[in-house]
Amino acid sequence: MFTRRTLAHLVAAAAVTSTPALAQNRPPLSRIAFGSCANQNMDQPIWDAVLSYRPDLFIFCGDNVYGDFNSADAANLKRAYEEAGKVTGYARLRDTVGHLAVWDDHDYGLNDGGIEFAHKAASKELFLDFWNAPATDIRRKRDGIYDSRIIGPPGMRVQVILLDVRWFRSPLKITDQRGAPGKERYLPDPDPAKTMLGPVQWAWLAEELRKPAELRLIVSSTQVLAEGHGWERWGNMPLEKQKLIDTIRASGAKGVVLLSGDRHIGALYRETPADLYPLYETTSSGLNMVYWAAKEAGPNRLGALYAAANFGVVDVDWWERKLVLALRDDGGNTRRAVEIAFDTLDIAT
């Protein structure tokens, strides 16, 4: 006989791993958790709080291990995954909660890396093996690890779109004033030849956004809306950031919310593009890697940074027609939150 916990795990896992048609017939998601930046060589006490939240789904938003390497055997990344597998809370979540994952630079293998990384094919195989992708998974046959799922019944469907902002991304423009506020590492580059996603992934994204769903979570390991800092972000390629907004608008997709990681801080953001509903973003980072002294001008930020261990949550109330984006600390306490009515995101259910 299944225990309640086992049954819940089977339902959640099936929702994530089944075919799209079957996933749409699963119960609606109402409690989604996510996070990034988990160093396998440091304590990870936050998993107790994540598990106590009892998410229907957990999204790993990148830097799921720290395994930078520069050799063809990818030995350091292999060791990183081996160590991560021994972390009790991490393993328990992977065993008991349905989950999806995308990488960032440190599980890609190169700090701030992009298209130029010579060993990315080895990284991809290790990533897909660690996350138990079957041999038939399309990601094993194409470049990059971008992915998408639609979970829940009609009228309560959540589409999770996981963007790969590493494999195809053009080199960034190096700052002319390293460490200066707003110019810490990189500068905005208006070069129209530069890309974040590459043409194939851009076309795929436009097609995904036209599929029927009520709420859409676009996961980008690096920040999309954040301004006022010179670390990695979509604003380093402003034409690509605008292309993302234009793609959302042109698709007619309603209910888009952005999730990101990377920065070793947590924060909430909002931007209202022309002729589009407001876009909200939650950055959750890190699960145990924290930039305590972080500063950011943050013209699009809602409230202060949260510079301590955190995980993000998306609480969806389908009947009250609202959702809450929040950051929780390693004790499970809510530290930042914003409530959003479905009508604000043009969600019709």
Side-chain angles (χ1 to χ4, degrees), residues 148 150 159 161 203-211 216:
S148 180
I150 297 174
Q159 182 182 36
I161 298 175
W204 168 86
L205 174 60
E207 182 179 349
E208 287 297 315
L209 287 170
R210 289 184 169 87
K211 293 180 178 179
R216 303 173 195 269

Side-chain angles (χ1 to χ4, degrees), residues 106-178:
H106 296 294
D107 41 357
Y108 182 58
L110 177 66
N111 182 49
D112 292 357
I115 193 172
E116 73 281 4
F117 184 45
H119 306 298
K120 58 188 178 182
S123 295
K124 186 177 83 163
E125 292 308 308
L126 290 171
F127 175 94
L128 294 174
D129 289 347
F130 182 76
W131 296 107
N132 298 317
T136 55
D137 193 304
I138 192 172
R139 292 172 294 176
R140 293 193 181 274
K141 299 177 178 63
R142 69 185 181 196
D143 289 341
I145 60 162
Y146 56 93
D147 196 13
S148 180
R149 297 286 192 281
I150 297 174
I151 304 169
M156 297 179 174
R157 292 164 294 197
V158 178
Q159 182 182 36
V160 182
I161 298 175
L162 301 138
L163 299 179
D164 184 341
V165 299
R166 294 294 168 189
W167 189 281
F168 309 95
R169 198 212 66 203
S170 302
L172 301 175
K173 184 177 182 178
I174 304 300
T175 184
D176 58 1
Q177 198 173 354
R178 187 177 175 90

